[in-house]
Amino acid sequence: MIRLGLCLIVALAHVISAPAQDAAKKPAPKKVNPAFQPPEVNPKLPNVLLIGDSISIGYMVAARAAMQGKANVFRPPTNCGPTTRGLDQIDQWLGDRKWDVVHWNFGLHDLKYMGPKGQNLADPKAEGSHQQVPIDDYQSNIETLARRIKQQARIVIWRETTPVPEGAAGRVVGDSVKYNAAAAKAIAKVGGIQTDPFFAFAESVKEHQRPANVHYTPDGSKLLGEHVAGVIESALAD
């Protein structure tokens, strides 16, 4: 009888502890990058869309903070990658809203080198390495994207690509200058689009770029975001 009672107690303890064990095994909810959070929309303010890769993800929060009370600032909840991805996703990113400003960039993902089997950030000197989007294709893609964005934005601002520092894996120093020049030709051909001289500004704060890395420190991203906000505010004021 005592043995039966002990068995019942053990079984009951197992039943009670099972939900707790299941809860412990349940993965914690994934944190959403603050840059991907939608803004609290004030219908009285202009709507701004930022498009870009991880550089823009880095400055998104600072740009939004700098434009607090001046604009509703959105971005796609993703790394926008190269122009090829932009062509595929631009309709989705623009949605059905008529934007007051679209501030956009593609470049660092286009000019990076891939291996012959699709390896990311391959050695540019290795056999079979190639840029993800060749510069002529890049220029054509920028023109197509510019024309599409103009259809849905009152003000369009092309943002230059940031510098590639010495030692950055999978990229070549100076290629940003070449790709910016190609983009400038496409932007001029379309017409009616402003240019954010972002390359020069990034050069002026290059001490905040990480060593041998295209990305920026938190302080650097804050400076970039405040610059973007200033460019957009000036455009809205004109």
Side-chain angles (χ1 to χ4, degrees), residues 110-133:
D110 295 82
L111 60 81
K112 74 177 179 180
Y113 280 79
M114 310 294 289
K117 295 183 179 179
Q119 302 96 320
N120 189 38
L121 297 175
D123 180 353
K125 297 180 181 178
E127 184 178 355
S129 290
H130 59 279
Q131 287 179 304
Q132 182 159 222
V133 180

Side-chain angles (χ1 to χ4, degrees), residues 46 54 61 138 161:
S54 56
V61 172
Y138 171 77
T161 296

Side-chain angles (χ1 to χ4, degrees), residues 6 29 104 184 207 227:
L6 287 173
W104 61 293
E207 68 273 17
H227 166 85

Side-chain angles (χ1 to χ4, degrees), residues 167-182:
R171 295 181 173 93
V172 175
V173 175
D175 276 354
S176 292
V177 174
K178 297 174 183 177
Y179 273 63
N180 279 334

Side-chain angles (χ1 to χ4, degrees), residues 30-161:
K30 189 175 181 180
K31 290 185 178 179
V32 177
N33 188 326
F36 296 160
Q37 294 281 12
E40 294 183 10
V41 176
N42 181 337
K44 297 180 180 179
L45 297 179
N47 294 310
V48 172
L49 177 64
L50 307 185
I51 294 175
D53 56 26
S54 56
I55 303 301
S56 70
I57 294 172
Y59 64 60
M60 172 66 188
V61 172
R64 177 180 281 166
M67 287 186 276
Q68 181 70 34
K70 302 172 185 177
N72 303 311
V73 184
F74 299 76
R75 71 158 288 118
T78 186
N79 184 321
C80 298
T83 52
T84 46
R85 186 175 189 194
L87 292 173
D88 183 60
Q89 298 291 318
I90 191 63
D91 289 346
Q92 178 181 330
W93 296 340
L94 291 171
D96 57 5
R97 179 179 272 112
K98 180 69 174 181
W99 298 95
D100 293 283
V101 179
V102 174
H103 181 280
W104 61 293
N105 167 266
F106 295 93
L108 286 178
H109 282 261
D110 295 82
L111 60 81
K112 74 177 179 180
Y113 280 79
M114 310 294 289
K117 295 183 179 179
Q119 302 96 320
N120 189 38
L121 297 175
D123 180 353
K125 297 180 181 178
E127 184 178 355
S129 290
H130 59 279
Q131 287 179 304
Q132 182 159 222
V133 180
I135 195 165
D136 289 344
D137 293 344
Y138 171 77
Q139 183 173 327
S140 175
N141 293 348
I142 290 294
E143 180 181 341
T144 300
L145 286 162
R147 294 188 188 282
R148 175 64 185 89
I149 293 169
K150 275 192 72 176
Q151 294 173 8
Q152 221 165 307
R154 181 170 64 88
I155 300 170
V156 180
I157 305 174
W158 162 251
R159 195 217 83 194
E160 292 177 341
T161 296

